[in-house]
Amino acid sequence: MQGIDIEAVKQFFLSLQDRICEQLSAIDGRADFVEDDWGRGRSRVITDGAVFEKGGVNFSHVQGDAMPGTASAHRPELAGRSYQAMGVSLVMHPLNPHVPTSHANVRFFVAEKPGEEPVWWFGGGFDLTPYYGVEEDCRHWHQTAFDACAPFGDEVYPRYKKWCDEYFYMPHRQEARGVGGLFFDDLNEGGFQRCFEFMQAIGNAYTAAYIPIVQRRKDTAWGERERDFQLYRRGRYVEFNLVCDRGTLFGLQSGGRTESILMSLPPLVRWEYNWQPDENSPEAALTSVFLPVRDWLAPQ
Amino acid sequence: MQGIDIEAVKQFFLSLQDRICEQLSAIDGRADFVEDDWGRGRSRVITDGAVFEKGGVNFSHVQGDAMPGTASAHRPELAGRSYQAMGVSLVMHPLNPHVPTSHANVRFFVAEKPGEEPVWWFGGGFDLTPYYGVEEDCRHWHQTAFDACAPFGDEVYPRYKKWCDEYFYMPHRQEARGVGGLFFDDLNEGGFQRCFEFMQAIGNAYTAAYIPIVQRRKDTAWGERERDFQLYRRGRYVEFNLVCDRGTLFGLQSGGRTESILMSLPPLVRWEYNWQPDENSPEAALTSVFLPVRDWLAPQ
């Protein structure tokens, strides 16, 4: 039986946070991430940048002596074990409505009991939320996801692409949050080393997926109409995170650090009763063309 | 056994909606409520008024052949009965940060089964969410609540004031949503007529509680600082409604009309990571002086 290396996972997360922040603040050009060490993690927040109106890249490392029953609903045998949960979680909200919002997360969980093998798993993924959809960008995003998964088997991308589509869905709007990407959880098949490598591949692929899109769209002109639509659609982002996201709700209900959990919320948001886009407008295309589940890598 | 008069309740709700909208649009002076009939209710929305940036006064009347199990968790014997739920629900979001947001709701529920007495109850209340607290306003709000309850017994106000404080609390912020008011549910003691009268007294008291406050504060000068704080605090309103409010969550999860349920959300909202008010500022006073539970009618 192969051992697990918690310290190596932690060092990867810290290095990933560093590398992502460096690349994102380089492309922003104006604002830098401000670090906030709060004991069980370090938050890095960028505000009022040239590209990013608000963004947060959070590393957290939570340990406990006895796993609460609620944390292990799908694995009741783990209740009462000592555990560690760590990961990197990020959301970037650009100012320009032509640049999509992006979210990524990689995480590791281990529950230990003296005299027994530790139980562990990885989870993670990344997903894209455009306001004004561009086919080329969606294909690039999914191609990068596909390429990151490919060395681990042909079934990996389709499986985690589908899981992502299912997870980031709002029943009360009958609408996806965005154009998807990858989502995986409970990953421990194939041994620690291989799972760790897969998680690293996904974590490392995020900037390769996102930065070219930011680069291409950050100088596209926009005005009040595009800004209004972006703020309106950010309302959906809030609805997903506060109503549908199990991670957010679990965090809030289990006494997690509220400011770090809600770092994902957009800086400015708008709600308008019964708003509908004009027919055949770019705003209507978001919901009619981009948000319905699609195979973005199908031959053109 | 006294009968129940569903039609009289419905007529009261419709008339209450009319009267509230008339008084609120009169004080606004610029904007009018726009009606939207959607089959199981009529929504009335005011937008970009001189006083109200956004507000909604909603009447809804939902009927079903078989009550879903989830709707009657606290009364499992009602599952499968035919039922009617109706009520008026409103939230007003003023533009001026010195005018508090207010919420009111009155509702009636009846479950029927051939050959058996119908099971019915009333619920309702109103609560106030200031941004810049004013003691005089809070006392007036609670005094009006007290006066509406007084004819129905001395224990009524303290009981429903406490229930309101408990209901409008956000565990993840360890903070109340506002300065409270009244909240009651499952009311059927004392017979239909008396309960109906109490619900009417509460519904009718809302404008008497709110309008004098609006009148007093609507011309107070404000600037960017007050607006920023208002938008920031509106984030808490969203958090309460989407994370904590059982009514909202039940509505969304049970396939209610999303646009009507989320009419309560503010028009424009801001989130800022780890924001803290300056010490001894009016913004700090909101959380230190106004939001902690208080007896607003205690002798000065």
Side-chain angles (χ1 to χ4, degrees):
Chain A
M1 174 77 194
Q2 202 183 24
I4 64 172
D5 187 344
I6 298 177
E7 189 54 29
V9 176
K10 181 172 179 180
Q11 289 311 318
F12 170 76
F13 285 142
L14 290 168
S15 139
L16 182 69
Q17 187 192 30
D18 285 342
R19 285 178 287 124
I20 289 175
C21 289
E22 263 168 46
Q23 291 182 70
L24 292 174
S25 77
I27 200 172
D28 188 86
R30 182 163 72 202
D32 237 322
F33 283 87
V34 175
E35 185 168 303
D36 184 12
D37 240 294
W38 48 278
R40 294 177 303 165
R42 65 180 197 202
S43 294
R44 294 230 184 104
V45 178
I46 190 170
T47 315
D48 296 328
V51 172
F52 300 112
E53 191 177 351
K54 182 187 175 193
V57 181
N58 197 24
F59 164 76
S60 68
H61 183 189
V62 177
Q63 312 197 34
D65 287 339
M67 208 157 110
T70 49
S72 53
H74 62 306
R75 297 182 186 230
E77 75 278 13
L78 300 185
R81 287 199 183 205
S82 73
Y83 68 97
Q84 298 187 47
M86 61 171 102
V88 170
S89 184
L90 71 91
V91 175
M92 301 303 296
H93 290 291
L95 179 63
N96 187 328
H98 294 288
V99 184
T101 286
S102 69
H103 162 248
N105 171 244
V106 275
R107 55 192 181 273
F108 178 59
F109 193 97
V110 55
E112 293 173 290
K113 196 174 173 179
E116 288 188 27
E117 288 292 335
V119 175
W120 55 267
W121 66 85
F122 290 97
F126 48 72
D127 63 284
L128 191 73
T129 306
Y131 303 91
Y132 290 91
V134 180
E135 304 254 341
E136 176 194 5
D137 294 349
C138 300
R139 284 198 299 273
H140 163 78
W141 180 263
H142 279 274
Q143 188 64 52
T144 312
F146 179 92
D147 294 344
C149 294
F152 299 88
D154 288 349
E155 76 296 350
V156 177
Y157 169 78
R159 186 173 163 207
Y160 295 157
K161 191 267 187 195
K162 182 163 181 275
W163 201 345
C164 188
D165 288 334
E166 288 163 0
Y167 187 88
F168 293 100
Y169 180 77
M170 285 175 274
H172 70 282
R173 295 288 188 183
Q174 300 184 273
E175 210 175 82
R177 182 172 83 172
V179 298
L182 299 171
F183 183 94
F184 66 98
D185 203 359
D186 291 312
L187 179 71
N188 62 6
E189 265 177 82
F192 173 81
Q193 201 51 43
R194 192 169 168 81
C195 293
F196 183 23
E197 276 163 23
F198 178 71
M199 183 276 279
Q200 291 177 77
I202 301 309
N204 291 332
Y206 162 73
T207 50
Y210 190 45
I211 284 186
I213 298 174
V214 177
Q215 202 64 264
R216 280 201 290 265
R217 307 300 157 206
K218 74 188 175 59
D219 300 317
T220 305
W222 56 278
E224 202 181 335
R225 168 182 173 155
E226 290 79 14
R227 177 67 169 170
D228 275 357
F229 183 59
Q230 179 198 46
L231 298 193
Y232 176 78
R233 291 298 312 181
R234 281 177 176 176
R236 296 289 207 279
Y237 211 86
V238 173
E239 291 175 27
F240 179 85
N241 286 17
L242 297 187
V243 177
C244 309
D245 186 41
R246 294 190 296 272
T248 299
L249 295 178
F250 171 75
L252 293 179
Q253 287 163 1
S254 65
R257 183 174 182 257
T258 296
E259 284 296 330
S260 296
I261 297 166
L262 298 186
M263 212 168 65
S264 63
L265 298 180
L268 197 65
V269 185
R270 197 170 78 77
W271 274 275
E272 183 173 338
Y273 175 72
N274 224 6
W275 183 82
Q276 302 291 343
D278 291 336
E279 260 183 83
N280 301 317
S281 63
E283 291 80 12
L286 177 69
T287 37
S288 63
V289 175
F290 289 89
L291 298 186
V293 170
R294 280 173 64 175
D295 173 5
W296 289 101
L297 303 180
Q300 300 296 300
Chain B
M1 173 79 195
Q2 198 183 27
I4 64 172
D5 188 344
I6 297 177
E7 188 55 29
V9 177
K10 181 173 179 177
Q11 289 310 316
F12 170 76
F13 285 141
L14 289 168
S15 138
L16 182 69
Q17 186 192 30
D18 284 343
R19 286 178 286 123
I20 288 174
C21 290
E22 263 168 45
Q23 291 181 72
L24 292 174
S25 77
I27 200 173
D28 188 86
R30 181 163 74 202
D32 236 324
F33 282 87
V34 175
E35 185 169 303
D36 183 12
D37 240 294
W38 48 276
R40 294 177 304 164
R42 66 179 196 201
S43 294
R44 294 225 185 110
V45 177
I46 190 169
T47 315
D48 296 328
V51 172
F52 299 112
E53 191 178 350
K54 182 187 174 191
V57 182
N58 197 24
F59 164 76
S60 68
H61 183 189
V62 176
Q63 312 197 33
D65 288 338
M67 207 158 110
T70 49
S72 54
H74 62 306
R75 296 185 186 229
E77 74 278 13
L78 300 184
R81 287 199 183 207
S82 73
Y83 68 97
Q84 299 187 47
M86 61 172 103
V88 170
S89 184
L90 72 91
V91 175
M92 300 303 295
H93 291 289
L95 179 62
N96 187 327
H98 293 288
V99 184
T101 285
S102 69
H103 163 248
N105 170 246
V106 275
R107 55 192 181 271
F108 178 59
F109 194 98
V110 55
E112 293 173 290
K113 195 174 175 178
E116 290 187 26
E117 289 292 338
V119 175
W120 56 268
W121 65 88
F122 289 98
F126 47 73
D127 64 283
L128 191 73
T129 307
Y131 303 91
Y132 290 91
V134 180
E135 304 254 339
E136 176 194 5
D137 294 348
C138 300
R139 283 198 298 274
H140 163 78
W141 181 262
H142 279 275
Q143 187 64 53
T144 313
F146 179 93
D147 293 345
C149 294
F152 299 87
D154 289 348
E155 74 297 350
V156 177
Y157 168 79
R159 185 173 164 206
Y160 295 157
K161 191 268 188 196
K162 183 163 180 276
W163 200 344
C164 189
D165 288 334
E166 287 163 359
Y167 186 87
F168 292 100
Y169 180 75
M170 286 176 272
H172 70 282
R173 296 287 190 183
Q174 299 184 273
E175 209 176 82
R177 183 171 83 172
V179 299
L182 299 171
F183 182 94
F184 65 99
D185 203 0
D186 291 310
L187 179 71
N188 62 5
E189 266 177 82
F192 173 82
Q193 201 51 43
R194 191 168 168 81
C195 292
F196 183 24
E197 276 163 23
F198 177 71
M199 182 276 281
Q200 291 177 78
I202 302 308
N204 291 332
Y206 161 74
T207 50
Y210 190 46
I211 283 184
I213 297 173
V214 177
Q215 202 65 264
R216 279 201 290 265
R217 307 299 159 207
K218 73 186 175 62
D219 299 317
T220 305
W222 55 278
E224 200 181 335
R225 169 182 171 153
E226 290 79 12
R227 178 66 169 168
D228 274 356
F229 183 60
Q230 179 197 48
L231 298 193
Y232 177 78
R233 291 298 313 180
R234 282 178 176 175
R236 296 289 207 278
Y237 211 85
V238 173
E239 291 174 27
F240 179 84
N241 286 17
L242 297 187
V243 176
C244 309
D245 186 41
R246 293 191 296 271
T248 299
L249 294 179
F250 171 74
L252 294 179
Q253 285 162 2
S254 65
R257 183 174 183 257
T258 296
E259 284 297 330
S260 296
I261 297 165
L262 299 186
M263 211 169 66
S264 63
L265 298 181
L268 197 63
V269 185
R270 196 170 78 76
W271 274 274
E272 183 174 337
Y273 176 73
N274 223 7
W275 183 82
Q276 302 291 342
D278 291 336
E279 260 184 83
N280 301 317
S281 64
E283 291 81 10
L286 178 68
T287 37
S288 63
V289 176
F290 289 88
L291 298 186
V293 170
R294 280 174 64 174
D295 174 5
W296 289 101
L297 303 180
Q300 300 297 299

